[in-house]
Amino acid sequence: MTKRELNSAAHKLRKLNAMKKELENQIAELEGTLKAEMTATGTDELNGSDWRVSWHEIETSRFDVTAFKNENPGVYSMYQKVSTTRRFLIA
């Protein structure tokens, strides 16, 4: 790619990321509105003509790694695995 094409791609990506952030904010606001209505009416489902929204409580169990590490540091280190990842950023 030429320098001009790279600049164009980077600028377009920045613009799209800004649009994405704005859309995420709008989505969060609308979700908040629906959740507030569900809380106010004491329901976990809302229905419309062509849509349904549900907001159910879900209980999960997770392994407490921090507690296990504190109580069993030797065993923890035996099974610890290092991984490498790459992070893409644009500023």
Side-chain angles (χ1 to χ4, degrees):
M1 288 183 100
T2 67
K3 184 76 167 175
R4 185 177 181 179
E5 291 170 325
L6 290 171
N7 281 333
S8 177
H11 286 289
K12 185 173 183 178
L13 181 58
R14 288 174 69 188
K15 183 178 178 181
L16 289 171
N17 279 328
M19 292 168 61
K20 176 183 173 184
K21 185 169 180 66
E22 177 58 33
L23 288 172
E24 287 171 343
N25 289 339
Q26 290 178 30
I27 289 168
E29 184 177 333
L30 292 170
E31 286 178 351
T33 299
L34 293 169
K35 288 176 182 178
E37 178 64 21
M38 295 164 94
T39 300
T41 58
T43 186
D44 57 6
E45 284 191 18
L46 295 173
N47 295 290
S49 59
D50 63 346
W51 57 271
R52 182 177 72 88
V53 175
S54 63
W55 188 33
H56 299 283
E57 202 170 276
I58 299 171
E59 190 173 303
T60 60
S61 296
R62 298 178 192 245
F63 186 74
D64 188 345
V65 175
T66 304
F68 183 80
K69 180 180 176 181
N70 290 337
E71 294 174 17
N72 305 284
V75 176
Y76 175 80
S77 65
M78 286 174 35
Y79 290 93
Q80 189 175 18
K81 184 173 119 177
V82 176
S83 64
T84 303
T85 185
R86 294 173 68 173
R87 183 171 48 171
F88 182 81
L89 298 173
I90 185 163

